[in-house]
């Protein structure tokens, strides 16, 4: 007579990683953890962020269209009309662009001689809008670079050293915040009126750094108490090395997101200043200046108002989406990447 032996649990050694068994894909969690460098994880997380990819494609399309169409500096563009040239107004300056196919009741897919229409003196509005986009984008990025540099330096120094240094820097920042930004920018921009967009961007950047400085200071106040910072101090690491080598990489997410928000808001700030007459000056133009010049035509010729407004919205949304993606990509708490 034979006796039935009950099934015993399998006590074999775990399989090699990646193969069948508890360590492979058929394990209880159904995943593997792949070793990657920090840079690889950042890029992987960013390119998996759909909104960031959409923003990058949108911003890239605006940049390519704006700078390739009418050219920039000595480099010519593929569009045959200048934003400065006037001409005869055709069909009351209506846009010749058509995107509705004829079988849907439209005029068919057509670009035409003046896709965005013409203004009241016959200037091609596509060329004007592209020039305005160039100027607004350059101002916004100059503002972003200057404001990010100043805000990061002020916030990091105040948050790390504390004491009197923090008190002086933060009280100055508080004074700057209490004064409306548009008022400071209007006064300072009025003093540098006619100096060009580079000076305008630098001036605006020296005004709008305050919010970024407060955010960086708060991040540094939190990070300076972490164990890895205490360990760096214990082995005699200098303050500058501790800031830039140990704390700054962990604050990059906050800095990058704040920088992108600053760039997006700079487009709107330039629009507001141009509306007040303190931004880009004629005969040059910007998106804000176009809206200011043709705001009275919103009822009779609304395309003169729509096109620059559409580009302002597109640039601001694209930069915000990219900022969200960069924030998630640089987040040091997302240390594991799943297949």
């Amino acid at each position: 007579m034979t006796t039935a032996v009950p099934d015993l649990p399998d006590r074999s050694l775990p399989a090699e990683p990646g193969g069948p068994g508890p360590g492979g894909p058929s394990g209880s969690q159904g995943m593997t953890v792949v070793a990657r460098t920090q840079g690889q994880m950042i890029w992987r997380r960013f390119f998996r962020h759909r909104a960031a990819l959409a923003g990058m494609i949108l911003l890239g399309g605006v940049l390519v269209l704006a700078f390739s169409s009418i050219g920039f500096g000595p480099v010519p563009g593929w569009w045959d009309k200048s934003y400065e040239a006037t001409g005869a107004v055709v069909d009351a300056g209506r846009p010749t662009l058509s995107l509705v196919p004829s079988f849907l009741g439209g005029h068919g897919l057509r670009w035409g001689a003046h896709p965005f229409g013409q203004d009241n003196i016959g200037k091609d509005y596509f060329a004007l809008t592209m020039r305005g986009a160039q100027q607004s984008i350059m101002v916004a990025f100059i503002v972003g670079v200057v404001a990010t540099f100043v805000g990061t330096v002020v916030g990091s120094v105040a948050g790390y050293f504390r004491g009197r240094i923090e008190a002086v820097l933060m009280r100055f920042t508080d004074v700057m915040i209490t004064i409306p930004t548009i008022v400071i920018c209007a006064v300072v921009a009025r003093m540098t009126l006619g100096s060009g967009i580079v000076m305008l961007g630098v001036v605006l950047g020296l005004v709008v750094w305050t919010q970024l400085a407060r955010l960086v200071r708060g991040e540094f106040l939190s990070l300076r108490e972490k164990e890895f910072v205490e360990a760096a101090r214990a082995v005699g690491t200098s303050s500058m090395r501790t800031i830039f080598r140990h704390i700054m990489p962990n604050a990059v997410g906050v800095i990058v997101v704040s920088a992108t928000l600053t760039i997006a808001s700079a487009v709107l700030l330039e629009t507001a200043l141009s509306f007040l007459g303190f931004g880009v000056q004629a005969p040059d133009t910007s998106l804000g200046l176009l809206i200011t010049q043709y705001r009275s035509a919103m009822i009779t010729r609304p395309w003169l108002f729509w096109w620059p407004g559409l580009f302002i919205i597109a640039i601001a949304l694209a930069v915000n989406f990219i900022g969200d993606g960069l924030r998630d990509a640089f987040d040091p708490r997302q240390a594991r990447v799943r297949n």
Side-chain angles (χ1 to χ4, degrees):
M1 182 178 67
T2 59
T3 304
V5 179
D7 292 336
L8 297 176
D10 185 10
R11 300 182 183 277
S12 58
L13 294 175
E16 292 293 328
S26 61
S28 60
Q29 295 183 351
M31 68 177 185
T32 58
V33 178
V34 181
R36 293 184 174 88
T37 65
Q38 181 69 15
Q40 289 174 332
M41 289 191 293
I42 289 173
W43 282 109
R44 186 179 179 86
R45 288 195 292 263
F46 179 77
F47 284 110
R48 284 189 171 187
H49 198 288
R50 294 181 180 178
L53 287 180
M56 190 166 60
I57 293 172
L58 178 59
L59 182 61
V62 172
L63 288 172
V64 171
L65 183 63
F67 286 91
S68 69
S69 58
I70 62 172
F72 184 74
V75 180
W78 50 264
W79 189 239
D80 60 349
K81 297 177 180 64
S82 172
Y83 68 94
E84 298 175 313
T86 60
V89 179
V90 181
D91 191 22
R94 290 184 176 87
T96 59
L97 175 66
S98 176
L99 299 177
V100 181
S102 55
F103 63 87
L104 294 178
H107 299 286
L109 300 177
R110 184 180 47 148
W111 183 255
H114 302 285
F116 288 7
Q118 295 174 283
D119 66 2
N120 53 355
I121 59 175
K123 288 185 177 181
D124 180 67
Y125 209 61
F126 175 78
L128 277 172
T129 304
M130 294 303 100
R131 178 60 178 178
Q134 289 181 0
Q135 299 295 82
S136 296
I137 289 171
M138 286 190 292
V139 170
F141 277 91
I142 293 173
V143 171
V145 170
V146 174
T148 300
F149 176 78
V150 176
T152 301
V153 170
V154 172
S156 59
V157 170
Y160 182 81
F161 291 104
R162 305 293 303 273
R164 293 183 178 179
I165 296 178
E166 180 191 22
V168 172
L169 291 177
M170 286 300 100
R171 295 301 77 77
F172 176 70
T173 303
D174 292 339
V175 171
M176 293 287 290
I177 291 176
T178 57
I179 305 174
T181 303
I182 189 66
V183 175
I184 302 177
C185 290
V187 172
V188 179
R190 180 68 180 86
M191 298 170 59
T192 59
L193 199 62
S195 300
I197 61 168
V198 175
M199 181 58 68
L200 176 63
V202 171
V203 167
L204 297 183
L206 293 175
V207 174
V208 300
W209 55 268
T210 53
Q211 294 296 336
L212 191 147
R214 291 176 66 90
L215 290 174
V216 173
R217 169 183 169 269
E219 193 72 10
F220 266 68
L221 287 175
S222 173
L223 291 173
R224 72 188 299 272
E225 305 300 332
K226 300 294 184 180
E227 291 81 1
F228 64 90
V229 178
E230 294 292 341
R233 291 201 199 102
V235 297
T237 305
S238 65
S239 297
M240 290 297 102
R241 183 175 176 83
T242 301
I243 290 174
F244 290 103
R245 180 74 175 178
H246 300 286
I247 302 181
M248 193 70 73
N250 292 277
V252 166
V254 172
I255 296 172
V256 168
V257 174
S258 300
T260 53
L261 293 176
T262 302
I263 292 174
S265 62
V267 177
L268 304 179
L269 181 59
E270 186 275 327
T271 301
L273 287 177
S274 295
F275 185 84
L276 297 174
F278 301 133
V280 177
Q281 300 295 305
D284 211 336
T285 189
S286 69
L287 295 177
L289 185 58
L290 288 176
I291 288 180
T292 303
Q293 290 174 335
Y294 300 109
R295 67 184 185 276
S296 59
M298 188 174 180
I299 303 299
T300 58
R301 292 176 296 168
W303 58 86
L304 299 179
F305 189 87
W306 289 346
W307 290 116
L310 181 64
F311 273 82
I312 289 173
I313 294 173
I315 295 170
L317 284 179
V319 174
N320 279 326
F321 287 156
I322 293 173
D324 289 340
L326 290 173
R327 176 196 59 199
D328 295 342
F330 277 104
D331 189 349
R333 290 170 294 185
Q334 300 185 29
R336 300 177 67 189
V337 179
R338 298 180 180 180
N339 280 342

